[in-house]
């Protein structure tokens, strides 16, 4: 018989029909009741096995084992579920020795422990929920752009450029470490390398997306990006996924509207399509908050937080205003910030979180950053000091989106590149867009794991990507 997904059985609540279900045993009670999960939803189906089931089979039904059940869906007599499966026959597909199985599902393993067994953590309710929500968000992102006529552009993973100019790149090479060819001046001769030049993993698909936007008008990328920055924080990964729309003819205000629309759309989509998972994650958060001292607990539950974002316009302020607010804040006056505040600083996460969590209590879009702390491609404002940058700061996370209107004026762009020692010659292809039919345009990057963190209420970015890559960690 063809397999029926547990989600479908639980959802339609019909009874008195034959099914085959397959999945992994979450628990086995009284040699009779199997809680079975197949990952299609957070809920388990209760399978009731007949009392005359073979003793050898009963022995091998244990938490973690995989089974196939043929049976009848009936109305459940027990509490907690409307329907259950009365087994006609049960086959153990794969046994699971409870003494060796690292996942003791019953006694709530810590997230830290689960990170060490990331290959098995999908089998927990929490990670099942997180990765279903992650999937939904990815789908919603594609749907959002597709519905608006954007072209999904696949930008390269291996590149020769440093889009952000921050020099935080992983090298890509096939040259032997112990016997690399050298130039006369002692430097490595990358002409002999696979691509005939030095290459690296991309830090952003933006520059290539800009090339596409100069013909297709509306494009977006959604792919893995890599940063060799040594930041061991709950919000940084060395390999993360980024969504980067790039739109010809958009200015910084259109850019803000697009980003706000996108964030609201995907949050709403998750609320509508993953409500069970989000309710579970909300409860998980409530339980976690109970461990914290009263004054550190968040006032809002997960669902309320998401609804608050949906129902309020994001605050829009300039960088100069943000600094002013920080300087006037009680936190600053009482010297609560670890890092100093003055016009020109690259705001630290504590500053960003003060603005969104304490001051505005909703997402904030900050524009007009000092040009010194932003990338070369951002459009220079008339004041000569700031650029048309925009960062979106989210409660509990800090920066979730970074973007800008781009400098479309060739002379201004090359001048800024020279100032910042960006190789103008090598980047001729980028500058060609400004030479041949340049137009105002704008775009941004949304850190995918950061929005997954926000929507799931998880607190460590390592827990929202299946296999995190962080400094000193590339297990699995
Ligand atoms: O602000 P960033 O560096 O901007 C860019 O890369 C631009 N090229 C984007 C664009 O305009 N097309 O990165 C964009 C976002 C950040 O706001 C953050 O959400 C996320 O990417 N991000 C990271 N997420 C996880 N781990 C890291 N190490 C991240 N670095 C940036
Ligand atoms: Mg940024």
């Amino acid at each position: 018989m063809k397999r029926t997904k547990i989600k479908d059985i639980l959802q339609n609540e019909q009874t008195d029909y034959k099914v085959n279900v397959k999945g992994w045993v979450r628990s086995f009670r009284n040699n009779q009741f199997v809680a079975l999960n197949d990952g299609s939803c957070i809920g388990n189906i209760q399978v009731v096995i007949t009392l005359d089931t073979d003793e050898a089979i009963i022995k091998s039904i244990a938490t973690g084992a995989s089974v196939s059940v043929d049976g009848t869906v009936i109305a459940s007599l027990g509490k907690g579920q409307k329907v259950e499966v009365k087994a006609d026959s049960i086959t153990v597909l794969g046994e699971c020795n409870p003494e060796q199985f690292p996942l003791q599902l019953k006694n709530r393993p810590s997230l830290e422990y689960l990170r060490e067994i990331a290959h098995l953590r999908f089998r927990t309710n929490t990670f099942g929920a997180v990765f279903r929500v992650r999937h939904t968000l990815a789908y919603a992102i594609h749907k959002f752009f597709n519905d608006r006529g954007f072209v999904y552009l696949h930008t390269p993973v291996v590149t020769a450029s440093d889009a952000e100019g921050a020099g935080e790149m992983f090298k890509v090479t096939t040259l032997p470490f112990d016997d690399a060819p050298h130039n006369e001046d002692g430097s490595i001769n990358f002409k002999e390398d696979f691509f005939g030049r030095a290459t690296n993993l991309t830090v952003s698909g933006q520059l290539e997306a800009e090339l596409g936007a100069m013909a297709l008008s509306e494009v977006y990328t959604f792919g893995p990006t890599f940063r060799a920055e040594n930041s061991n924080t709950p919000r940084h990964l060395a390999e993360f996924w980024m969504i980067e729309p790039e739109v010809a003819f958009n200015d910084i205000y259109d850019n803000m509207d697009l980003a706000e629309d996108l964030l609201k759309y995907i949050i709403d989509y998750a609320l509508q399509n993953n409500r069970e998972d989000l309710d579970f994650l909300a409860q998980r958060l409530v339980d976690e908050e109970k461990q914290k001292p009263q004054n550190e607990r968040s006032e809002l539950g997960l669902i309320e937080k998401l609804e608050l974002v949906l129902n309020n316009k994001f605050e829009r302020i300039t960088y100069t205003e943000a600094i002013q607010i920080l300087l006037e804040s009680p936190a600053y006056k009482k010297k609560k910030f670890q890092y100093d505040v003055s016009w020109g600083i690259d705001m630290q996460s504590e500053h960003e979180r003060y603005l969104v969590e304490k001051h505005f209590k909703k997402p904030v879009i900050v524009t007009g950053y000092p040009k010194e702390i932003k990338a070369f491609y951002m459009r220079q404002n008339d004041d000569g000091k700031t650029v048309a940058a925009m960062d979106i700061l989210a409660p509990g996370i800090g920066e979730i989106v970074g973007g800008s209107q781009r400098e479309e004026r060739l002379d201004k762009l090359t001048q800024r590149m020279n100032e910042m020692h960006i190789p103008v010659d090598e980047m001729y292809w980028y500058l060609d867009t400004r030479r041949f039919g340049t137009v105002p345009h704008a775009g941004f990057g949304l850190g995918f794991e950061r929005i997954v963190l926000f929507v799931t209420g998880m607190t460590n970015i390592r827990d929202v990507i299946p296999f995190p890559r962080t400094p000193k960690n590339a297990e699995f």
Side-chain angles (χ1 to χ4, degrees):
M1 197 193 283
K2 225 176 140 215
R3 170 183 162 233
T4 302
K5 287 197 178 208
I6 291 171
K7 180 183 183 178
D8 295 334
I9 301 174
L10 293 175
Q11 247 173 18
N12 75 22
E13 294 182 1
Q14 282 170 11
T15 51
D16 303 317
Y17 62 100
K18 295 272 179 200
V19 286
N20 168 265
V21 286
K22 294 185 173 76
W24 292 268
V25 176
R26 285 294 173 86
S27 68
F28 186 35
R29 278 188 302 123
N30 300 350
N31 281 352
Q32 203 189 357
F33 301 105
V34 182
L36 197 66
N37 189 283
D38 67 359
S40 59
C41 62
I42 194 136
N44 305 323
I45 189 98
Q46 171 155 284
V47 174
V48 187
I49 61 173
T50 49
L51 293 171
D52 59 0
T53 305
D54 192 78
E55 201 152 318
I57 292 182
I58 289 190
K59 264 208 173 130
S60 56
I61 302 175
T63 300
S66 49
V67 300
S68 172
V69 179
D70 287 319
T72 312
V73 180
I74 57 168
S76 178
L77 298 175
K79 270 187 256 153
Q81 68 274 325
K82 292 210 166 114
V83 294
E84 62 190 24
V85 172
K86 186 173 168 293
D88 299 327
S89 73
I90 181 163
T91 317
V92 175
L93 300 172
E95 291 184 21
C96 181
N97 183 337
E99 267 133 57
Q100 288 171 4
F101 190 43
L103 252 189
Q104 290 303 323
L105 287 161
K106 278 181 198 157
N107 37 358
R108 284 223 162 193
S110 70
L111 294 173
E112 288 77 14
Y113 173 66
L114 290 171
R115 250 168 254 152
E116 290 169 21
I117 51 163
H119 58 303
L120 294 171
R121 66 179 176 170
F122 298 106
R123 299 238 199 134
T124 62
N125 281 335
T126 297
F127 286 93
V130 165
F131 291 117
R132 278 187 298 271
V133 173
R134 184 181 163 111
H135 159 79
T136 299
L137 290 170
Y139 177 74
I141 286 163
H142 285 300
K143 183 161 163 50
F144 174 88
F145 287 120
N146 182 65
D147 290 353
R148 281 163 188 72
F150 281 64
V151 172
Y152 178 23
L153 198 71
H154 297 91
T155 51
V157 169
V158 177
T159 88
S161 74
D162 178 2
E164 291 303 296
E168 294 164 335
M169 299 173 301
F170 291 100
K171 291 191 174 60
V172 174
T173 180
T174 54
L175 291 178
F177 290 120
D178 42 3
D179 189 23
H182 286 85
N183 296 311
E184 272 171 18
D185 65 0
S187 59
I188 306 263
N189 180 6
F190 284 105
K191 288 208 177 73
E192 305 247 322
D193 204 350
F194 188 89
F195 294 107
R197 61 189 307 164
T199 50
N200 51 271
L201 294 178
T202 187
V203 296
S204 156
Q206 177 196 324
L207 302 191
E208 290 91 351
E210 281 188 58
L211 310 183
M214 289 303 105
L216 298 160
S217 292
E218 275 124 354
V219 302
Y220 73 105
T221 74
F222 187 168
T225 48
F226 306 85
R227 302 218 176 154
E229 55 183 330
N230 202 356
S231 320
N232 241 320
T233 81
R235 284 178 296 278
H236 286 88
L237 290 165
E239 175 181 291
F240 63 99
W241 288 67
M242 190 163 29
I243 298 94
E244 297 184 273
E246 195 66 40
V247 184
F249 319 113
N250 264 9
D251 64 16
I252 187 74
Y253 302 101
D254 304 319
N255 207 32
M256 287 192 259
D257 291 342
L258 180 67
E260 184 167 344
D261 286 351
L262 170 67
L263 290 172
K264 287 180 169 168
Y265 179 88
I266 64 177
I267 290 170
D268 187 44
Y269 197 90
L271 277 169
Q272 298 204 27
N273 291 277
N274 275 102
R275 192 50 191 252
E276 259 188 2
D277 288 321
L278 290 175
D279 283 339
F280 173 84
L281 291 167
Q283 187 54 46
R284 194 201 72 83
L285 207 59
V286 170
D287 297 344
E288 196 180 84
E289 293 276 310
K290 280 188 195 141
Q291 319 281 323
K292 291 186 191 164
Q294 194 92 40
N295 60 346
E296 284 175 30
R297 289 183 201 166
S298 75
E299 297 152 27
L300 287 182
L302 179 61
I303 307 290
E304 292 82 52
K305 181 188 82 174
L306 297 176
E307 282 170 351
L308 188 87
V309 170
L310 285 186
N311 299 329
N312 286 284
K313 197 156 171 50
F314 294 3
E315 194 66 37
R316 298 180 181 199
I317 58 168
T318 63
Y319 170 89
T320 304
E321 286 163 345
I323 294 295
Q324 204 55 40
I325 291 168
L326 292 173
L327 287 173
E328 284 164 11
S329 69
Y332 178 76
K333 290 184 179 149
K334 288 186 199 146
K335 299 198 171 16
K336 289 262 173 70
F337 292 130
Q338 193 188 339
Y339 295 89
D340 200 15
V341 180
S342 64
W343 199 96
I345 59 157
D346 201 358
M347 277 189 276
Q348 299 292 321
S349 146
E350 57 175 352
H351 305 135
E352 297 177 336
R353 293 184 63 169
Y354 177 85
L355 291 172
V356 284
E357 286 160 36
K358 296 274 181 325
H359 192 83
F360 290 110
K361 298 186 193 289
K362 61 177 175 172
V364 178
I365 312 184
V366 184
T367 52
Y369 282 80
K371 64 179 180 188
E372 277 74 26
I373 56 170
K374 290 292 182 187
F376 68 93
Y377 50 71
M378 296 194 180
R379 194 174 199 277
Q380 296 158 54
N381 288 330
D382 292 340
D383 61 12
K385 291 194 310 196
T386 60
V387 286
M390 64 165 216
D391 276 7
I392 302 188
L393 315 177
I397 312 246
E399 181 189 335
I400 196 160
V401 164
S404 72
Q405 185 171 335
R406 315 308 186 188
E407 182 54 83
E408 84 282 13
R409 298 162 295 186
L410 180 64
D411 52 338
K412 298 245 181 211
L413 181 58
T414 34
Q415 185 201 340
R416 189 75 192 125
M417 287 171 82
N418 284 325
E419 281 167 17
M420 295 176 78
H421 308 292
I422 313 270
V424 171
D425 294 346
E426 275 178 38
M427 303 267 292
Y428 73 92
W429 49 269
Y430 182 67
L431 291 167
D432 269 1
T433 55
R434 274 66 170 174
R435 288 192 185 102
F436 308 127
T438 191
V439 296
H441 61 289
F444 60 84
L446 165 63
F448 187 50
E449 285 73 23
R450 299 233 177 134
I451 186 67
V452 182
L453 266 183
F454 185 73
V455 174
T456 57
M458 301 296 284
T459 45
N460 193 315
I461 200 161
R462 293 165 180 79
D463 296 333
V464 297
I465 186 163
F467 301 105
R469 299 289 178 256
T470 51
K472 302 275 177 286
N473 172 34
E475 188 81 28
F476 314 111

